[in-house]
Amino acid sequence: MPQMQRSLRLRSTALLWTLLFAGRGSWTDTCTSRRCLANMLVERKLITQPQLLNCSEAIFVTLLEYQTIKVDTKNLRLVCHLDAIIEWYDDDLEWDYFVYPYDEVILPVSKVWTPDIFVSNGISANTENSFRDLIVYKNGKLRHRMIITAEVNCEFNLFNYPFAEDSCPVVIETWSTEGCGITMIVENFKISDGSHGDWETIGADLVPANAEGYYISVRLRIRQQNPFITLMLPSILIILADMVSFALPLGCGERNSFKVTLVLSFTMFLLILNDQLPGDSECSPIIKTHFCVCLVLLVVSMLVSMVLTRVAQDGGLVFCCFPKRAQAANEGKGDDQEVGGDISVVRIDDSGENQMYRKVMDFLNAINAREADSERKQALADKIDKIFFWFYFTAGTVYFSAMITVMVKYECRISHVNIFD
């Protein structure tokens, strides 16, 4: 009997050792590392959208960061950069924590399904992954980061250019919210530095529009220094130089030449800055009207200066109605009358000295008369010139003051509603 019990003990011990070594071998053959966990999840080939009972997937944008890259004033375009951190759940990517004791694992982006977010009002958009991998947690939650670069067509209010300030909507949506669609929830939003070039971003607000998505209302403002120096200041200086040119005398041709040079210079200035002028929108930039008025003022000033030069010579404003031939005939007739008068008063008993003296006196009197007539014409031209100068100076000063006031104070409103239509 003791021998039998001893035999049973030996057999049970051997069985236990056998089972122990067998279990140890199976344990060593099973891989439970983090890479094995990643390979196991990849082999499931979960590249389609999670199909829940209600056939809808909720994605959470834990952080959405906005940045303005560039504002195209000529074509009314806004280029922006969006950086989004997205989280969503996929129950099929859960694992047994007792077999794989890890809280998270890294998987390639191309091996699992990722949601699509795009800018719906963008003319062109480029969406790319920030990294080639994403993070999967043990409860099936996925964390991903994506970057969106979009060019948006914005109807900027450029009426007050270069003192313009307006907002531009950037609409963010998912591919669908109906049926087996996606519901997007943005939890945090912030704006990064976007003050580059002539425009600066003074703020941005995230507004939930409807069930389909959100839109970012970007508030933009032009930095007045550069456009004012390159556009407004040259026009003011050219008009000021045209006003000062009235100090040049009318008799010489220097004033007319100078005014013609100013008109040509301003025309070339507009041609050079044609590419920098803002494009037309619902509220057309008033600076284009300003340049048109400045050009009209320069041309009118040039024409008046030319007319007054002729007035200083002919002594009348309606000089076009008296041809030169008629004037020359009248002058010749007058000379004949003078000569005839001289002949009629000559006496036979006068000596040659008296005749010579009388002719010299008549010549000097004619010169004095011509000088007096020229001075009278010049005085008339100078009087009209001074009247026009003070009128030009007053009108120019009032115009520039009113134009700058309108540019700064007046508001032309553009509606940015119905952006989801």
Side-chain angles (χ1 to χ4, degrees):
M1 189 74 179
Q3 207 171 21
M4 185 180 293
Q5 291 177 353
R6 186 176 181 181
S7 170
L8 290 174
R9 288 177 182 176
L10 290 174
R11 289 179 181 179
S12 60
T13 303
L15 181 61
L16 289 174
W17 280 103
T18 302
L19 293 175
L20 179 61
F21 281 106
R24 183 179 179 181
S26 63
W27 177 77
T28 56
D29 292 339
T30 303
C31 178
T32 59
S33 64
R34 195 185 296 270
R35 174 168 289 184
C36 292
L37 172 60
N39 292 333
M40 183 269 293
L41 296 177
V42 168
E43 289 176 357
R44 295 182 182 180
K45 299 180 180 180
L46 300 175
I47 58 175
T48 60
Q49 177 180 335
Q51 306 292 329
L52 302 178
L53 294 178
N54 58 356
C55 199
S56 178
E57 179 69 18
I59 62 173
F60 302 90
V61 182
T62 58
L63 178 61
L64 179 62
E65 184 175 357
Y66 170 85
Q67 182 181 13
T68 300
I69 302 298
K70 184 181 68 173
V71 178
D72 188 353
T73 309
K74 183 68 177 180
N75 300 314
L76 305 179
R77 304 284 175 82
L78 169 66
V79 181
C80 59
H81 174 89
L82 297 172
D83 192 351
I85 300 178
I86 310 171
E87 293 182 355
W88 70 98
Y89 288 88
D90 190 347
D91 296 338
D92 294 329
L93 288 175
E94 296 181 1
W95 65 82
D96 189 356
Y97 187 77
F98 294 100
V99 179
Y100 299 100
Y102 308 109
D103 294 328
E104 59 188 30
V105 68
I106 298 175
L107 294 183
V109 176
S110 59
K111 300 300 181 178
V112 296
W113 175 84
T114 55
D116 293 328
I117 299 177
F118 59 93
V119 178
S120 60
N121 65 332
I123 299 176
S124 62
N126 181 28
T127 303
E128 59 182 12
N129 302 314
S130 300
F131 307 100
R132 294 182 298 175
D133 301 317
L134 52 76
I135 301 177
V136 181
Y137 296 91
K138 64 180 181 179
N139 59 350
K141 183 176 72 172
L142 293 90
R143 184 181 180 89
H144 178 46
R145 186 171 183 175
M146 60 190 306
I147 296 175
I148 304 173
T149 304
E151 183 178 359
V152 182
N153 186 15
C154 288
E155 191 74 9
F156 291 114
N157 178 10
L158 297 177
F159 179 84
N160 306 96
Y161 188 89
F163 305 97
E165 179 179 340
D166 199 10
S167 61
C168 177
V170 179
V171 184
I172 304 173
E173 294 182 289
T174 57
W175 71 273
S176 177
T177 58
E178 299 178 356
C180 296
I182 298 175
T183 302
M184 181 174 59
I185 301 173
V186 180
E187 298 178 349
N188 295 304
F189 173 77
K190 75 172 186 177
I191 179 174
S192 59
D193 181 27
S195 300
H196 304 287
D198 292 337
W199 290 80
E200 61 177 343
T201 305
I202 59 177
D205 299 322
L206 183 67
V207 181
N210 51 29
E212 296 182 2
Y214 300 76
Y215 75 89
I216 303 173
S217 179
V218 184
R219 299 189 303 276
L220 300 168
R221 179 175 58 194
I222 294 181
R223 293 179 174 177
Q224 299 93 354
Q225 183 177 1
N226 188 29
F228 183 83
I229 293 176
T230 57
L231 296 178
M232 288 293 298
L233 186 60
S235 64
I236 296 175
L237 294 179
I238 290 177
I239 296 296
L240 180 62
D242 187 55
M243 292 180 179
V244 177
S245 66
F246 281 89
L248 297 175
L250 273 175
C252 62
E254 295 180 358
R255 182 196 284 192
N256 295 335
S257 301
F258 183 74
K259 287 183 176 293
V260 171
T261 303
L262 288 179
V263 173
L264 295 177
S265 301
F266 191 76
T267 304
M268 292 299 298
F269 169 74
L270 294 182
L271 292 177
I272 294 174
L273 294 179
N274 185 38
D275 294 334
Q276 298 184 14
L277 292 177
D280 289 330
S281 61
E282 186 176 340
C283 292
S284 182
I286 197 174
I287 193 172
K288 293 185 176 182
T289 306
H290 164 70
F291 285 145
C292 181
V293 173
C294 289
L295 185 60
V296 170
L297 290 176
L298 290 174
V299 173
V300 169
S301 175
M302 179 187 67
L303 295 178
V304 170
S305 180
M306 292 180 178
V307 171
L308 291 180
T309 303
R310 186 63 182 268
V311 170
Q313 181 179 356
D314 296 340
L317 291 175
V318 194
F319 55 85
C320 60
C321 300
F322 299 95
K324 291 183 178 180
R325 292 182 179 179
Q327 184 178 0
N330 293 330
E331 291 178 356
K333 184 177 180 181
D335 294 339
D336 293 339
Q337 291 176 355
E338 291 179 1
V339 173
D342 292 341
I343 294 173
S344 62
V345 297
V346 172
R347 296 180 181 179
I348 298 176
D349 57 351
D350 288 343
S351 63
E353 294 179 358
N354 292 330
Q355 292 179 2
M356 183 63 67
Y357 175 76
R358 188 175 291 109
K359 289 182 178 180
V360 170
M361 292 301 296
D362 292 339
F363 178 75
L364 293 176
N365 290 333
I367 292 177
N368 292 331
R370 291 178 182 177
E371 289 181 354
D373 183 65
S374 177
E375 291 178 356
R376 180 184 61 80
K377 296 177 181 178
Q378 187 67 37
L380 176 62
D382 290 339
K383 183 177 181 181
I384 299 175
D385 187 52
K386 291 180 180 179
I387 294 174
F388 180 76
F389 166 74
W390 286 111
F391 173 77
Y392 186 36
F393 177 79
T394 304
T397 304
V398 172
Y399 164 74
F400 276 103
S401 302
M403 178 59 67
I404 294 178
T405 303
V406 170
M407 285 183 177
V408 176
K409 300 294 184 181
Y410 183 78
E411 295 184 4
C412 180
R413 299 184 180 275
I414 295 179
S415 178
H416 297 292
V417 299
N418 299 328
I419 55 179
F420 281 88
D421 294 341

